[in-house]
Amino acid sequence: MFMWATSFLSLVLLFPRHAAFSISKFFRFLDFPINRRLITRHARNDGETAFLNAANQTPLNDTDVLVVGGGIHSLIYAIHTAKLSPGRTINVVEKAGSPSYKIGESTLTTFGLWLKTIGIESPMLWRLFGPKDGLAFYYMPQNGDPENYTGFCANGPPGDFVPTLQIERKISELMLTLIAQRMGVNVWHGHSVDIDNTVLADGGSKVPVAGKQVNAKLVVDATGRFRRFASKEARLQRFDGWNTDAFWGYFECPVDESEIPLDHYESVNTNHICLPEGWAWVIRLPTWEGSSIKNLTKMINYLLDLNYAGVPADEIPSSLELARMFGLKFRWVVSIGFALRTDTEYPADLSSYGSCEAEQRFNWITAKYPKMAGLMSKHKLVRDLYGPGTTWYIRKNLTYVSPKVTGNGFIAIGDATGFTNPLYSPGINANMGTSVAAAELTASYLDSEDAKGRAESMQKYEEYCNGRVDGLHRMNVFNYVLMRSPQLGPLGPLWQYLSGTGMPGWQKMRTYDFNTAGDILKNWDWGAREPEYAEFADSVIKMLPGKPSEPVDPEIEQLILNMSDAKVKELVAGGKFKNRWAGLLRWYNDSLIRSETKIDKDILARRCSKCTNWRLLTGDRKCATCGAMNKQELSQKVMYN
Ligand SMILES: Cc1cc2nc3c(=O)[nH]c(=O)nc-3n(C[C@H](O)[C@H](O)[C@H](O)COP(=O)(O)OP(=O)(O)OC[C@H]3O[C@@H](n4cnc5c(N)ncnc54)[C@H](O)[C@@H]3O)c2cc1C
């Protein structure tokens, strides 16, 4: 096998013109995880890299902060630090030649809030990204009976407050790069750090980057799940019990979404199809794939200018108008993938379900649940959306935690500190806390005159991170075990909304600005560490051991339902957790009592009367996608009650 691979690579070196195509085919055939890395390297467009790097204001020299990795947390951190510590030099180095494909598309209120606090408003964001109005869940029974499923549905924040978005990561990272560069942060693409030859030291590290040595007072490990510096400090830890594997692809929905056979289905929600084995996400988002980085950059810079000038939303060109103005490709796709427990029992032979592992697993689990199969029958696979060999993706053992997040002269942020699962999108939205906390630490670290002061800053950050991923892991397990029964499933999101949006800090959301939002951004994790939540989740997890295929004992099921009813009643009456529950949630009243006839909730989104794409209702009439002017009365949100 090794010989075979070596001969193949020699051929590639001899015939580089065909390399990207051939490599992708070869590794797709082997279902080998290295393929995308090789393709990216071969497909790198040096002209685009130079174009992006030319916007940096100074050369890459010795720096106060060197951020290794140019992903979403790196850029959030760099922008936040630039605002908190003006005058400090910040350099971000990213090994990819330009922002490129990543999974992680659904964002929540905290990300929208942070964007707002740095001056980025909804109208420009809705031109670049998909609008999102909350989360919907469908819970399927073990036998797949399509008549016996339950649901849960919650709105997102109103569009006139902050946007929640479905983001294509190439575009979000490009937008954040341009914002950072405007603030004086240098973002260097095509710059790989030689980790093994980096000498980390308190107060000053020596880092080899792209053929030169950069001295940095503080190094930030923002290398995501690769944990390039954190991994040298300590091996990653896994939790006891099952982990989860994800596999996914991209689809089109050629029919009107009203044909999708799920009650109240709206593609403006992040939709979750929950099964005893785990769940599927269904996320509709626009893609600009196929557009050049140069033209995308020009468009985003144009939008940033309009944003900072405060141009009214109805005067900003729509996505389709922008695509025409800047020579870009724009279309809607649907990201659909599963995150299943590793104790899922797959048939020994899946070969009839597809040609690679991701496709086989995807098609097998889809076929097992008629409602999921019904949903997929309305979608059409998009092949190779993000380049050759990118039709199917798989990532295994998603959950891990970095036991140490600081070391001599470095701190880790984002996924380099740990990750659990895409359920409830903690990756960007809860992990944002690490980027914000690290930015605050940076200010005190750089201001410290001596090693003791710097060590104290590092210690504070270790304490901040301690227990974060553990809390998210408990939240994840709690929700997964409840998915084994459609009667229990909705208790998962019910407790998330109770704890995560009922908590006191959340109620003050509308009052926050850059100077006051730090606490909620650092500490919001869906309420996963609120003591009342933790206690209930722990007891439910203990009551539901067993494999996904094992039916839940009806007595245990009833006991959990009764426990939850009593506890929720007590907590709502106690007044610690407050919200306009009836406006926020379908099927629940203000006391969080469920009724199958209470269908209505706040109306925060409608479909455009011309192109039928979803619009968040703010009073503005222009459709962000097609530019049609909708009627005023169909552009206002309608509050329940
Ligand atoms: C299946 C799945 C679905 C998900 N869905 C969601 C979701 O819907 N919502 C959500 O919030 N989160 C989601 N996530 C999580 C989300 O993808 C991550 O939390 C997020 O991308 C982490 O960002 P990051 O900046 O920490 O790391 P990354 O985005 O991985 O960035 C790390 C960067 O470091 C660079 N790098 C690595 N080594 C070097 C080096 N030596 N030199 C220079 N650069 C280097 C890499 O090229 C990369 O660009 C999902 C995750 C998975 C697995």
Side-chain angles (χ1 to χ4, degrees), residues 41-70:
R41 196 178 304 158
H42 277 271
R44 180 187 296 166
N45 182 329
D46 289 341
E48 292 190 334
T49 306
F51 173 79
L52 286 171
N53 291 346
N56 290 327
Q57 295 181 14
T58 52
L60 175 57
N61 284 328
D62 293 350
T63 181
D64 289 321
V65 185
L66 186 74
V67 192
V68 183

PDB file of all heavy atoms in Angstrom, residues 41-70:
ATOM      1  N   ARG A  41      -3.446  22.485  -0.841  1.00  0.00           N
ATOM      2  CA  ARG A  41      -2.105  22.963  -1.115  1.00  0.00           C
ATOM      3  C   ARG A  41      -1.901  23.122  -2.623  1.00  0.00           C
ATOM      4  O   ARG A  41      -1.381  24.103  -3.107  1.00  0.00           O
ATOM      5  CB  ARG A  41      -1.090  21.982  -0.532  1.00  0.00           C
ATOM      6  CG  ARG A  41       0.280  22.594  -0.427  1.00  0.00           C
ATOM      7  CD  ARG A  41       1.252  21.635   0.190  1.00  0.00           C
ATOM      8  NE  ARG A  41       0.822  21.153   1.486  1.00  0.00           N
ATOM      9  CZ  ARG A  41       1.270  20.014   2.014  1.00  0.00           C
ATOM     10  NH1 ARG A  41       2.112  19.273   1.381  1.00  0.00           N
ATOM     11  NH2 ARG A  41       0.856  19.628   3.201  1.00  0.00           N
ATOM     12  N   HIS A  42      -2.384  22.138  -3.376  1.00  0.00           N
ATOM     13  CA  HIS A  42      -2.171  22.200  -4.818  1.00  0.00           C
ATOM     14  C   HIS A  42      -3.009  23.283  -5.464  1.00  0.00           C
ATOM     15  O   HIS A  42      -2.616  23.881  -6.445  1.00  0.00           O
ATOM     16  CB  HIS A  42      -2.484  20.838  -5.442  1.00  0.00           C
ATOM     17  CG  HIS A  42      -1.330  19.917  -5.329  1.00  0.00           C
ATOM     18  ND1 HIS A  42      -0.350  19.849  -6.274  1.00  0.00           N
ATOM     19  CD2 HIS A  42      -0.977  19.066  -4.347  1.00  0.00           C
ATOM     20  CE1 HIS A  42       0.563  18.972  -5.896  1.00  0.00           C
ATOM     21  NE2 HIS A  42       0.198  18.479  -4.736  1.00  0.00           N
ATOM     22  N   ALA A  43      -4.194  23.494  -4.907  1.00  0.00           N
ATOM     23  CA  ALA A  43      -5.099  24.439  -5.550  1.00  0.00           C
ATOM     24  C   ALA A  43      -4.827  25.878  -5.113  1.00  0.00           C
ATOM     25  O   ALA A  43      -5.484  26.793  -5.549  1.00  0.00           O
ATOM     26  CB  ALA A  43      -6.536  24.065  -5.213  1.00  0.00           C
ATOM     27  N   ARG A  44      -3.856  26.065  -4.200  1.00  0.00           N
ATOM     28  CA  ARG A  44      -3.628  27.406  -3.676  1.00  0.00           C
ATOM     29  C   ARG A  44      -3.348  28.382  -4.814  1.00  0.00           C
ATOM     30  O   ARG A  44      -2.574  28.114  -5.717  1.00  0.00           O
ATOM     31  CB  ARG A  44      -2.444  27.379  -2.716  1.00  0.00           C
ATOM     32  CG  ARG A  44      -2.149  28.744  -2.138  1.00  0.00           C
ATOM     33  CD  ARG A  44      -0.881  28.717  -1.347  1.00  0.00           C
ATOM     34  NE  ARG A  44      -1.026  27.831  -0.204  1.00  0.00           N
ATOM     35  CZ  ARG A  44       0.014  27.403   0.504  1.00  0.00           C
ATOM     36  NH1 ARG A  44       1.231  27.762   0.189  1.00  0.00           N
ATOM     37  NH2 ARG A  44      -0.175  26.613   1.529  1.00  0.00           N
ATOM     38  N   ASN A  45      -3.996  29.504  -4.714  1.00  0.00           N
ATOM     39  CA  ASN A  45      -3.802  30.500  -5.752  1.00  0.00           C
ATOM     40  C   ASN A  45      -2.929  31.604  -5.179  1.00  0.00           C
ATOM     41  O   ASN A  45      -3.368  32.420  -4.385  1.00  0.00           O
ATOM     42  CB  ASN A  45      -5.174  31.046  -6.164  1.00  0.00           C
ATOM     43  CG  ASN A  45      -5.052  32.055  -7.270  1.00  0.00           C
ATOM     44  OD1 ASN A  45      -4.046  32.763  -7.351  1.00  0.00           O
ATOM     45  ND2 ASN A  45      -6.051  32.127  -8.114  1.00  0.00           N
ATOM     46  N   ASP A  46      -1.647  31.607  -5.594  1.00  0.00           N
ATOM     47  CA  ASP A  46      -0.706  32.551  -5.001  1.00  0.00           C
ATOM     48  C   ASP A  46      -1.095  33.996  -5.272  1.00  0.00           C
ATOM     49  O   ASP A  46      -0.836  34.878  -4.472  1.00  0.00           O
ATOM     50  CB  ASP A  46       0.709  32.272  -5.502  1.00  0.00           C
ATOM     51  CG  ASP A  46       1.251  30.983  -4.896  1.00  0.00           C
ATOM     52  OD1 ASP A  46       0.693  30.565  -3.861  1.00  0.00           O
ATOM     53  OD2 ASP A  46       2.188  30.405  -5.459  1.00  0.00           O
ATOM     54  N   GLY A  47      -1.744  34.242  -6.428  1.00  0.00           N
ATOM     55  CA  GLY A  47      -2.172  35.605  -6.743  1.00  0.00           C
ATOM     56  C   GLY A  47      -3.172  36.102  -5.720  1.00  0.00           C
ATOM     57  O   GLY A  47      -3.106  37.247  -5.258  1.00  0.00           O
ATOM     58  N   GLU A  48      -4.097  35.219  -5.329  1.00  0.00           N
ATOM     59  CA  GLU A  48      -5.109  35.617  -4.343  1.00  0.00           C
ATOM     60  C   GLU A  48      -4.474  35.844  -2.981  1.00  0.00           C
ATOM     61  O   GLU A  48      -4.840  36.765  -2.254  1.00  0.00           O
ATOM     62  CB  GLU A  48      -6.196  34.542  -4.256  1.00  0.00           C
ATOM     63  CG  GLU A  48      -7.017  34.471  -5.535  1.00  0.00           C
ATOM     64  CD  GLU A  48      -8.248  33.595  -5.428  1.00  0.00           C
ATOM     65  OE1 GLU A  48      -8.241  32.681  -4.588  1.00  0.00           O
ATOM     66  OE2 GLU A  48      -9.193  33.844  -6.190  1.00  0.00           O
ATOM     67  N   THR A  49      -3.506  34.999  -2.640  1.00  0.00           N
ATOM     68  CA  THR A  49      -2.835  35.147  -1.344  1.00  0.00           C
ATOM     69  C   THR A  49      -2.123  36.500  -1.279  1.00  0.00           C
ATOM     70  O   THR A  49      -2.258  37.242  -0.297  1.00  0.00           O
ATOM     71  CB  THR A  49      -1.815  33.998  -1.146  1.00  0.00           C
ATOM     72  OG1 THR A  49      -2.503  32.766  -1.325  1.00  0.00           O
ATOM     73  CG2 THR A  49      -1.189  34.040   0.228  1.00  0.00           C
ATOM     74  N   ALA A  50      -1.383  36.812  -2.342  1.00  0.00           N
ATOM     75  CA  ALA A  50      -0.653  38.089  -2.366  1.00  0.00           C
ATOM     76  C   ALA A  50      -1.635  39.258  -2.302  1.00  0.00           C
ATOM     77  O   ALA A  50      -1.399  40.258  -1.612  1.00  0.00           O
ATOM     78  CB  ALA A  50       0.194  38.175  -3.631  1.00  0.00           C
ATOM     79  N   PHE A  51      -2.761  39.107  -3.003  1.00  0.00           N
ATOM     80  CA  PHE A  51      -3.782  40.161  -3.007  1.00  0.00           C
ATOM     81  C   PHE A  51      -4.313  40.396  -1.589  1.00  0.00           C
ATOM     82  O   PHE A  51      -4.412  41.532  -1.124  1.00  0.00           O
ATOM     83  CB  PHE A  51      -4.916  39.735  -3.949  1.00  0.00           C
ATOM     84  CG  PHE A  51      -6.113  40.632  -3.923  1.00  0.00           C
ATOM     85  CD1 PHE A  51      -6.111  41.846  -4.606  1.00  0.00           C
ATOM     86  CD2 PHE A  51      -7.257  40.267  -3.220  1.00  0.00           C
ATOM     87  CE1 PHE A  51      -7.226  42.677  -4.578  1.00  0.00           C
ATOM     88  CE2 PHE A  51      -8.372  41.090  -3.195  1.00  0.00           C
ATOM     89  CZ  PHE A  51      -8.354  42.295  -3.880  1.00  0.00           C
ATOM     90  N   LEU A  52      -4.618  39.307  -0.876  1.00  0.00           N
ATOM     91  CA  LEU A  52      -5.135  39.452   0.490  1.00  0.00           C
ATOM     92  C   LEU A  52      -4.079  40.051   1.415  1.00  0.00           C
ATOM     93  O   LEU A  52      -4.362  40.945   2.219  1.00  0.00           O
ATOM     94  CB  LEU A  52      -5.561  38.082   1.042  1.00  0.00           C
ATOM     95  CG  LEU A  52      -6.845  37.489   0.483  1.00  0.00           C
ATOM     96  CD1 LEU A  52      -7.009  36.045   0.951  1.00  0.00           C
ATOM     97  CD2 LEU A  52      -8.052  38.319   0.917  1.00  0.00           C
ATOM     98  N   ASN A  53      -2.848  39.555   1.292  1.00  0.00           N
ATOM     99  CA  ASN A  53      -1.793  40.017   2.200  1.00  0.00           C
ATOM    100  C   ASN A  53      -1.397  41.470   1.935  1.00  0.00           C
ATOM    101  O   ASN A  53      -0.902  42.154   2.835  1.00  0.00           O
ATOM    102  CB  ASN A  53      -0.566  39.107   2.085  1.00  0.00           C
ATOM    103  CG  ASN A  53      -0.852  37.713   2.643  1.00  0.00           C
ATOM    104  OD1 ASN A  53      -1.848  37.519   3.332  1.00  0.00           O
ATOM    105  ND2 ASN A  53       0.006  36.756   2.342  1.00  0.00           N
ATOM    106  N   ALA A  54      -1.642  41.943   0.707  1.00  0.00           N
ATOM    107  CA  ALA A  54      -1.265  43.323   0.371  1.00  0.00           C
ATOM    108  C   ALA A  54      -2.062  44.342   1.180  1.00  0.00           C
ATOM    109  O   ALA A  54      -1.666  45.504   1.295  1.00  0.00           O
ATOM    110  CB  ALA A  54      -1.468  43.559  -1.124  1.00  0.00           C
ATOM    111  N   ALA A  55      -3.198  43.909   1.751  1.00  0.00           N
ATOM    112  CA  ALA A  55      -4.004  44.854   2.543  1.00  0.00           C
ATOM    113  C   ALA A  55      -3.453  45.027   3.961  1.00  0.00           C
ATOM    114  O   ALA A  55      -3.970  45.842   4.735  1.00  0.00           O
ATOM    115  CB  ALA A  55      -5.453  44.379   2.599  1.00  0.00           C
ATOM    116  N   ASN A  56      -2.420  44.268   4.324  1.00  0.00           N
ATOM    117  CA  ASN A  56      -1.833  44.453   5.657  1.00  0.00           C
ATOM    118  C   ASN A  56      -1.066  45.768   5.696  1.00  0.00           C
ATOM    119  O   ASN A  56      -0.457  46.174   4.709  1.00  0.00           O
ATOM    120  CB  ASN A  56      -0.912  43.273   5.994  1.00  0.00           C
ATOM    121  CG  ASN A  56      -1.723  42.003   6.220  1.00  0.00           C
ATOM    122  OD1 ASN A  56      -2.845  42.076   6.711  1.00  0.00           O
ATOM    123  ND2 ASN A  56      -1.172  40.865   5.846  1.00  0.00           N
ATOM    124  N   GLN A  57      -1.104  46.407   6.869  1.00  0.00           N
ATOM    125  CA  GLN A  57      -0.580  47.778   6.914  1.00  0.00           C
ATOM    126  C   GLN A  57       0.919  47.847   7.168  1.00  0.00           C
ATOM    127  O   GLN A  57       1.551  48.858   6.902  1.00  0.00           O
ATOM    128  CB  GLN A  57      -1.356  48.574   7.967  1.00  0.00           C
ATOM    129  CG  GLN A  57      -2.823  48.719   7.552  1.00  0.00           C
ATOM    130  CD  GLN A  57      -3.658  49.520   8.535  1.00  0.00           C
ATOM    131  OE1 GLN A  57      -3.124  50.201   9.401  1.00  0.00           O
ATOM    132  NE2 GLN A  57      -4.962  49.437   8.399  1.00  0.00           N
ATOM    133  N   THR A  58       1.498  46.764   7.746  1.00  0.00           N
ATOM    134  CA  THR A  58       2.946  46.761   8.013  1.00  0.00           C
ATOM    135  C   THR A  58       3.497  45.380   7.675  1.00  0.00           C
ATOM    136  O   THR A  58       2.735  44.418   7.612  1.00  0.00           O
ATOM    137  CB  THR A  58       3.231  47.044   9.513  1.00  0.00           C
ATOM    138  OG1 THR A  58       2.454  46.139  10.300  1.00  0.00           O
ATOM    139  CG2 THR A  58       2.899  48.472   9.900  1.00  0.00           C
ATOM    140  N   PRO A  59       4.818  45.250   7.488  1.00  0.00           N
ATOM    141  CA  PRO A  59       5.371  43.916   7.207  1.00  0.00           C
ATOM    142  C   PRO A  59       5.278  43.012   8.440  1.00  0.00           C
ATOM    143  O   PRO A  59       5.067  43.502   9.554  1.00  0.00           O
ATOM    144  CB  PRO A  59       6.839  44.197   6.863  1.00  0.00           C
ATOM    145  CG  PRO A  59       6.998  45.666   6.811  1.00  0.00           C
ATOM    146  CD  PRO A  59       5.834  46.303   7.483  1.00  0.00           C
ATOM    147  N   LEU A  60       5.459  41.720   8.217  1.00  0.00           N
ATOM    148  CA  LEU A  60       5.449  40.773   9.338  1.00  0.00           C
ATOM    149  C   LEU A  60       6.792  40.848  10.057  1.00  0.00           C
ATOM    150  O   LEU A  60       7.801  40.341   9.569  1.00  0.00           O
ATOM    151  CB  LEU A  60       5.194  39.345   8.825  1.00  0.00           C
ATOM    152  CG  LEU A  60       5.267  38.229   9.865  1.00  0.00           C
ATOM    153  CD1 LEU A  60       4.288  38.468  11.009  1.00  0.00           C
ATOM    154  CD2 LEU A  60       4.987  36.875   9.222  1.00  0.00           C
ATOM    155  N   ASN A  61       6.769  41.532  11.205  1.00  0.00           N
ATOM    156  CA  ASN A  61       7.976  41.701  12.010  1.00  0.00           C
ATOM    157  C   ASN A  61       7.694  41.230  13.419  1.00  0.00           C
ATOM    158  O   ASN A  61       6.646  40.643  13.681  1.00  0.00           O
ATOM    159  CB  ASN A  61       8.381  43.186  12.039  1.00  0.00           C
ATOM    160  CG  ASN A  61       9.041  43.592  10.729  1.00  0.00           C
ATOM    161  OD1 ASN A  61       9.707  42.773  10.095  1.00  0.00           O
ATOM    162  ND2 ASN A  61       8.834  44.827  10.323  1.00  0.00           N
ATOM    163  N   ASP A  62       8.609  41.528  14.337  1.00  0.00           N
ATOM    164  CA  ASP A  62       8.362  41.193  15.738  1.00  0.00           C
ATOM    165  C   ASP A  62       7.056  41.851  16.178  1.00  0.00           C
ATOM    166  O   ASP A  62       6.714  42.944  15.721  1.00  0.00           O
ATOM    167  CB  ASP A  62       9.524  41.672  16.602  1.00  0.00           C
ATOM    168  CG  ASP A  62      10.788  40.882  16.267  1.00  0.00           C
ATOM    169  OD1 ASP A  62      10.667  39.876  15.525  1.00  0.00           O
ATOM    170  OD2 ASP A  62      11.874  41.272  16.718  1.00  0.00           O
ATOM    171  N   THR A  63       6.352  41.169  17.065  1.00  0.00           N
ATOM    172  CA  THR A  63       4.971  41.582  17.317  1.00  0.00           C
ATOM    173  C   THR A  63       4.596  41.356  18.779  1.00  0.00           C
ATOM    174  O   THR A  63       5.187  40.503  19.449  1.00  0.00           O
ATOM    175  CB  THR A  63       4.032  40.774  16.372  1.00  0.00           C
ATOM    176  OG1 THR A  63       2.687  41.160  16.584  1.00  0.00           O
ATOM    177  CG2 THR A  63       4.147  39.269  16.579  1.00  0.00           C
ATOM    178  N   ASP A  64       3.625  42.110  19.249  1.00  0.00           N
ATOM    179  CA  ASP A  64       3.130  41.844  20.608  1.00  0.00           C
ATOM    180  C   ASP A  64       2.427  40.488  20.641  1.00  0.00           C
ATOM    181  O   ASP A  64       2.663  39.681  21.522  1.00  0.00           O
ATOM    182  CB  ASP A  64       2.139  42.943  21.041  1.00  0.00           C
ATOM    183  CG  ASP A  64       2.841  44.267  21.311  1.00  0.00           C
ATOM    184  OD1 ASP A  64       3.951  44.235  21.875  1.00  0.00           O
ATOM    185  OD2 ASP A  64       2.298  45.322  20.936  1.00  0.00           O
ATOM    186  N   VAL A  65       1.532  40.278  19.662  1.00  0.00           N
ATOM    187  CA  VAL A  65       0.758  39.032  19.653  1.00  0.00           C
ATOM    188  C   VAL A  65       0.884  38.358  18.287  1.00  0.00           C
ATOM    189  O   VAL A  65       0.682  39.006  17.255  1.00  0.00           O
ATOM    190  CB  VAL A  65      -0.745  39.310  19.912  1.00  0.00           C
ATOM    191  CG1 VAL A  65      -1.510  37.997  20.013  1.00  0.00           C
ATOM    192  CG2 VAL A  65      -0.949  40.129  21.174  1.00  0.00           C
ATOM    193  N   LEU A  66       1.195  37.071  18.300  1.00  0.00           N
ATOM    194  CA  LEU A  66       1.172  36.291  17.058  1.00  0.00           C
ATOM    195  C   LEU A  66       0.075  35.243  17.208  1.00  0.00           C
ATOM    196  O   LEU A  66       0.143  34.383  18.097  1.00  0.00           O
ATOM    197  CB  LEU A  66       2.516  35.601  16.814  1.00  0.00           C
ATOM    198  CG  LEU A  66       2.579  34.888  15.464  1.00  0.00           C
ATOM    199  CD1 LEU A  66       2.704  35.898  14.321  1.00  0.00           C
ATOM    200  CD2 LEU A  66       3.746  33.908  15.408  1.00  0.00           C
ATOM    201  N   VAL A  67      -0.949  35.344  16.369  1.00  0.00           N
ATOM    202  CA  VAL A  67      -2.056  34.389  16.434  1.00  0.00           C
ATOM    203  C   VAL A  67      -1.816  33.339  15.355  1.00  0.00           C
ATOM    204  O   VAL A  67      -1.731  33.678  14.167  1.00  0.00           O
ATOM    205  CB  VAL A  67      -3.416  35.080  16.195  1.00  0.00           C
ATOM    206  CG1 VAL A  67      -4.551  34.126  16.549  1.00  0.00           C
ATOM    207  CG2 VAL A  67      -3.536  36.360  17.003  1.00  0.00           C
ATOM    208  N   VAL A  68      -1.700  32.097  15.755  1.00  0.00           N
ATOM    209  CA  VAL A  68      -1.407  31.025  14.794  1.00  0.00           C
ATOM    210  C   VAL A  68      -2.721  30.357  14.403  1.00  0.00           C
ATOM    211  O   VAL A  68      -3.410  29.774  15.242  1.00  0.00           O
ATOM    212  CB  VAL A  68      -0.420  30.006  15.392  1.00  0.00           C
ATOM    213  CG1 VAL A  68      -0.063  28.948  14.352  1.00  0.00           C
ATOM    214  CG2 VAL A  68       0.833  30.720  15.882  1.00  0.00           C
ATOM    215  N   GLY A  69      -3.078  30.456  13.121  1.00  0.00           N
ATOM    216  CA  GLY A  69      -4.384  30.001  12.634  1.00  0.00           C
ATOM    217  C   GLY A  69      -5.238  31.219  12.349  1.00  0.00           C
ATOM    218  O   GLY A  69      -5.234  32.176  13.129  1.00  0.00           O
ATOM    219  N   GLY A  70      -5.934  31.177  11.205  1.00  0.00           N
ATOM    220  CA  GLY A  70      -6.762  32.331  10.822  1.00  0.00           C
ATOM    221  C   GLY A  70      -8.223  31.954  10.714  1.00  0.00           C
ATOM    222  O   GLY A  70      -8.940  32.456   9.860  1.00  0.00           O
TER     223      GLY A  70
END
